[in-house]
Amino acid sequence: MSDQAISRYPIPEIKDLPEDLQELILGVQEKAGFIPNVFLTLAHRPDELRAFFNYHDAIMLRESNLTKAEKEMIVVTTSSDNNCLYCVVSHGAILRIYSKNPLIADQLTTNHHKADITDRQKAMLDFALKVSNDAQSIGESDFDLLKSHAFTEEDIWDIAAITAFFGLSNRMANLTSMRPNDEFFTMGRG
């Protein structure tokens, strides 16, 4: 285990947080066996932590035509493009678990066009990167291309919402120097 700081900002004591956040954090610890550093780092501002996870759950847990693994593919690919170590490592672990593929996250962080994914998923990730880097140029041809891969208007919204939300997450993780938990590095690798 690393003795490095998990954030450049102070980490509050869990017992000093509002009761709902204590329950949230301790529930995650019970389920995962550890507390992901994102919870501890964002607890520096409890109202923002609450809002962050409410929106996270609204987009990542909602019923969708995108699989859980595809949602994580979006997070990993765009987080890599944004140079966000925390999100690449933590969501890479989640992706490996959901996809039951120990190689996929590493492939996506390097070059999603060379990854062992479908053409449909490559189109999804191309669009996610466009949302992340060049949203002002999105046009009807982007929608047409995605629809040719059987994405609906709602699916396209999901791709964009996940990309935009994790753009915020990536920037905050980089600002705070959020350190990935050591546990994430080995999860889902075999």
Side-chain angles (χ1 to χ4, degrees), residues 97-164:
I97 291 166
Y98 284 160
S99 67
K100 298 177 179 42
N101 180 342
L103 307 178
I104 191 69
D106 295 328
Q107 291 176 345
L108 293 178
T109 60
T110 305
N111 182 346
H112 72 277
H113 286 281
K114 303 291 185 189
D116 298 326
I117 60 176
T118 67
D119 287 342
R120 178 182 186 272
Q121 291 165 336
K122 289 174 185 173
M124 172 186 76
L125 297 176
D126 285 341
F127 181 71
L129 288 168
K130 189 169 189 176
V131 169
S132 182
N133 295 314
D134 195 23
Q136 70 275 5
S137 71
I138 292 171
E140 203 58 40
S141 63
D142 296 299
F143 285 82
D144 292 342
L145 177 62
L146 290 169
K147 288 176 183 177
S148 77
H149 287 282
F151 287 105
T152 67
E153 291 276 340
E154 293 302 313
D155 299 335
I156 296 167
W157 180 295
D158 288 341
I159 296 165
I162 293 165
T163 300

Side-chain angles (χ1 to χ4, degrees), residues 160-178:
I162 293 165
T163 300
F165 175 76
F166 279 93
L168 169 121
S169 180
N170 298 160
R171 285 154 180 80
M172 291 305 296
N174 281 326
L175 167 81
T176 62
S177 299
M178 193 183 305

Side-chain angles (χ1 to χ4, degrees), residues 77-91:
T77 302
T78 58
S79 295
S80 174
D81 191 58
N82 289 326
N83 296 306
C84 181
L85 178 64
Y86 185 88
C87 292
V88 166
V89 172
S90 62
H91 287 275

Side-chain angles (χ1 to χ4, degrees), residues 45-61:
R45 291 192 174 181
D47 289 339
E48 292 176 34
L49 171 64
R50 189 179 295 109
F52 180 90
F53 278 101
N54 283 337
Y55 194 63
H56 172 278
D57 291 354
I59 60 173
M60 296 300 283
L61 302 181

Side-chain angles (χ1 to χ4, degrees), residues 2-75:
S2 174
D3 60 355
Q4 296 290 320
I6 64 170
S7 173
R8 69 177 295 115
Y9 287 86
I11 303 298
E13 294 290 328
I14 295 172
K15 66 180 177 50
D16 296 333
L17 294 171
E19 188 174 323
D20 65 317
L21 295 180
Q22 289 181 42
E23 290 175 15
L24 172 72
I25 292 169
L26 295 175
V28 169
Q29 181 181 32
E30 184 176 320
K31 184 176 178 182
F34 65 98
I35 301 171
N37 290 341
V38 66
F39 288 86
L40 299 173
T41 299
L42 295 181
H44 177 71
R45 291 192 174 181
D47 289 339
E48 292 176 34
L49 171 64
R50 189 179 295 109
F52 180 90
F53 278 101
N54 283 337
Y55 194 63
H56 172 278
D57 291 354
I59 60 173
M60 296 300 283
L61 302 181
R62 74 179 288 280
E63 286 296 316
S64 172
N65 291 324
L66 302 180
T67 67
K68 289 179 180 180
E70 287 173 332
K71 290 178 181 183
E72 294 297 336
M73 287 178 184
I74 295 166
V75 178

